[in-house]
Amino acid sequence: MFRNFIDGEWVLGTDASKNINPSNTNDVIGDYARASADDALAAVAAAKAAFPAWSRSGILERHQILKKTADEIIARKDELGRLLSREEGKTLAEGIGETVRAGQIFDFFAGEALRLAGEVIPSVRPNIGVEITREPVGVVGIITPWNFPIAIPAWKIAPALCYGNTVVFKPAELVPGCSWAIVDILHRAGLPKGVLNLVMGKGSVVGQAMLDSPDIQAITFTGSVGTGKRVAAASVEHNRKFQLEMGGKNPFVVLDDAELAVAVEAAVNSAFFSTGQRCTASSRLIVTEGIHDKFVAAMGERMHGLVVDDALKAGTHIGPVVDQGQLNQDTDYIAIGKQEGARLAFGGELIARDTPGFYLQPALFTEATNRMRISREEIFGPVAAVIRVKDYDEALAVANDTRFGLSSGIATTSLKHASHFKRNSEAGMVMVNLPTAGVDFHVPFGGRKGSSYGSREQGKYAAEFYTTVKTAYTLA
Ligand code: ADP
């Protein structure tokens, strides 16, 4: 039994949930304790009690703990990457890649701990000095989704600790394995008791108890739009800082002058890698008339070569969908797309493999319009639609015609169009001749419109959320 971690102790919950491998539902990774609402409140109390000392801890101590954690994650990348792929279903290469990234994030914030700085500036009044410093916010609540089981916890926990906050962390119920491993590593790296608390279990119980606690000063959340709205409402109620990363309906534009191979590679990656289960995935491929037919034919050929199989098998390109609920959502949307009049050009069938799992052949619709539900609602699976447009201007208008704004991409050899798209795309992250997903760990991540709320995550921009600014005046 993998236990919760509260106030420096590994504790049982009310019951446990089984962590099941989506590539093989007979494979149970382990039993993970489910916390009660009272456990969540005990975790908040522990984090509150630990805050005064941790917020004043030395930067060298924070640096060393984060650095040790980074080193252990990277040293164990094969084992942890395997655990990740086993519990979430992305391929082993993707699982190991994500694990390395988590290590790099801890490494980055280990460095940031040594680079904390303020500003000293003159007052407009004589003989007065002004100091501007950043202080930790307090107890930070971290609520994470299942699609990046190690990277998202890393990119929230590392900055929270780096800047001197204490943490109550609730991972997604589907993938507690990597989160448990990170907490275990940080604990052994020397984190004082109460500074980081792990409460696994149901969102409606554990997460909700966190939202309702007046002692959490900030909540960072990645997940669905619906839950994000609850986080926002509860946070306003408690006058607390909050940051949301939610859905996407990211456009990938292909212009007549694109290099076909570059466009197809980026589109296949954007739409289908990690089984389409990335908030930065692209499900709208917006293609100009002159290249449309060639692009669709090349996509079909490329998709034909994609191997959908057990995430842990060598040679697999696309792992299974994460669970039955998500698979139902994907197949429902495939049915909706057909009813709406789009043409299912390739894939979309459920497929059987050697082991019982949630296998779906990546699906590509053509003849779609941007008004269809498959073009407006987030599906979160390996399902994409090609929307034919006349020219660049129409492509840009269609790309921006969405309530979301996380990432976007364009395939073009035109400097003019690339530059114009970078400036005018209504997204937080814009990619030129690259997939809409796949971002660096040291630069800001986040979106606009209905995708995100609050300041950016990752890189030095993370300081904005995890600190509060103080302005001090001194008479000389
Ligand atoms: P997804 O569709 O990615 O599972 P959710 O928004 O349901 O998106 O889940 C994201 C995270 O939010 C998970 O850790 C989940 O347990 C948590 N969660 C779900 N419901 C609530 C809630 N009412 N309050 C707080 N957290 C919740």
Side-chain angles (χ1 to χ4, degrees):
M1 161 85 76
F2 293 89
R3 300 179 179 211
N4 290 311
F5 189 66
I6 300 175
D7 204 15
E9 305 286 337
W10 293 104
V11 294
L12 290 168
T14 45
D15 57 357
S17 65
K18 293 206 181 306
N19 186 355
I20 290 172
N21 177 352
S23 297
N24 176 5
T25 52
N26 293 327
D27 176 28
V28 178
I29 295 153
D31 292 310
Y32 287 79
R34 265 201 288 230
S36 64
D38 283 344
D39 294 332
L41 296 183
V44 174
K48 187 179 175 183
F51 180 71
W54 182 249
S55 64
R56 284 191 282 274
S57 59
I59 57 170
L60 190 59
E61 180 184 1
R62 293 186 216 166
H63 165 79
Q64 284 167 342
I65 291 169
L66 294 171
K67 178 79 179 114
K68 231 170 150 179
T69 301
D71 291 347
E72 180 168 339
I73 291 173
I74 290 175
R76 291 172 58 192
K77 68 180 168 37
D78 292 335
E79 172 215 339
L80 293 172
R82 195 178 167 79
L83 169 64
L84 196 168
S85 295
R86 203 171 148 212
E87 68 176 347
E88 198 270 352
K90 63 182 69 174
T91 66
L92 195 51
E94 290 171 330
I96 293 170
E98 187 184 325
T99 303
V100 170
R101 179 171 172 199
Q104 289 166 328
I105 289 167
F106 274 100
D107 196 49
F108 178 87
F109 284 105
E112 285 299 277
L114 298 179
R115 285 189 285 267
L116 289 171
E119 288 178 86
V120 178
I121 58 175
S123 166
V124 292
R125 290 169 285 165
N127 300 325
I128 292 178
V130 182
E131 291 157 44
I132 303 168
T133 52
R134 286 187 177 273
E135 295 184 357
V137 181
V139 176
V140 173
I142 295 179
I143 301 178
T144 58
W146 50 260
N147 64 329
F148 283 91
I150 198 163
I152 294 181
W155 84 51
K156 294 181 188 296
I157 293 171
L161 299 177
C162 163
Y163 296 113
N165 302 283
T166 56
V167 173
V168 177
F169 168 39
K170 194 210 96 61
E173 203 179 358
L174 273 180
V175 293
C178 290
S179 292
W180 190 94
I182 288 194
V183 172
D184 172 54
I185 292 169
L186 276 157
H187 166 52
R188 286 186 292 94
L191 209 56
K193 79 182 178 93
V195 173
L196 172 65
N197 302 274
L198 171 72
V199 277
M200 301 178 286
K202 281 188 182 307
S204 56
V205 177
V206 182
Q208 192 63 44
M210 290 166 67
L211 300 193
D212 295 339
S213 166
D215 290 328
I216 293 186
Q217 278 77 36
I219 290 198
T220 175
F221 167 83
T222 302
S224 64
V225 173
T227 310
K229 284 188 174 153
R230 299 175 84 106
V231 174
S235 297
V236 169
E237 179 72 26
H238 290 288
N239 195 24
R240 112 183 13 123
K241 208 168 176 181
F242 63 101
Q243 178 184 58
L244 312 174
E245 287 299 344
M246 303 172 287
K249 197 69 199 171
N250 309 302
F252 184 73
V253 169
V254 179
L255 298 185
D256 285 357
D257 62 33
E259 253 183 66
L260 188 62
V262 169
V264 168
E265 213 39 54
V268 164
N269 179 321
S270 301
F272 305 128
F273 284 13
S274 299
T275 322
Q277 298 174 152
R278 296 182 286 190
C279 39
T280 47
S282 174
S283 49
R284 295 188 297 140
L285 308 177
I286 301 163
V287 185
T288 49
E289 287 174 340
I291 197 170
H292 177 275
D293 293 356
K294 269 185 285 179
F295 175 77
V296 169
M299 284 293 285
E301 216 167 284
R302 180 72 176 81
M303 288 173 69
H304 193 68
L306 291 176
V307 176
V308 182
D309 206 335
D310 189 320
L312 300 179
K313 263 194 195 167
T316 295
H317 300 123
I318 312 277
V321 172
V322 74
D323 73 348
Q324 187 64 49
Q326 183 61 50
L327 185 64
N328 293 346
Q329 179 166 317
D330 297 348
T331 52
D332 284 354
Y333 273 108
I334 291 171
I336 289 168
K338 288 187 201 162
Q339 280 159 19
E340 288 180 305
R343 189 171 85 83
L344 183 59
F346 308 105
E349 314 89 39
L350 294 178
I351 45 182
R353 289 295 177 252
D354 294 346
T355 48
F358 308 109
Y359 297 107
L360 175 65
Q361 194 71 42
L364 187 70
F365 282 102
T366 55
E367 313 305 329
T369 72
N370 202 44
R371 304 311 312 164
M372 293 176 176
R373 284 181 63 194
I374 54 166
S375 302
R376 305 208 77 76
E377 298 169 17
E378 185 171 51
I379 302 172
F380 220 61
V383 183
V386 176
I387 301 169
R388 188 200 305 252
V389 292
K390 202 164 66 270
D391 55 16
Y392 170 74
D393 291 339
E394 189 184 353
L396 177 66
V398 169
N400 285 338
D401 178 13
T402 168
R403 67 193 168 106
F404 295 110
L406 188 57
S407 66
S408 67
I410 188 167
T412 180
T413 52
S414 153
L415 180 60
K416 186 175 130 201
H417 287 140
S419 305
H420 191 271
F421 189 77
K422 277 190 276 184
R423 278 199 309 276
N424 293 285
S425 171
E426 294 167 3
M429 296 172 289
V430 185
M431 314 290 185
V432 177
N433 293 321
L434 287 167
T436 54
V439 295
D440 285 1
F441 64 86
H442 68 309
V443 290
F445 176 96
R448 41 174 99 163
K449 293 158 77 175
S451 288
S452 305
Y453 182 90
S455 52
R456 288 289 184 264
E457 300 198 76
Q458 303 193 57
K460 63 182 165 53
Y461 284 64
E464 204 49 47
F465 181 75
Y466 294 97
T467 63
T468 179
V469 169
K470 180 172 278 174
T471 314
Y473 296 80
T474 311
L475 179 64

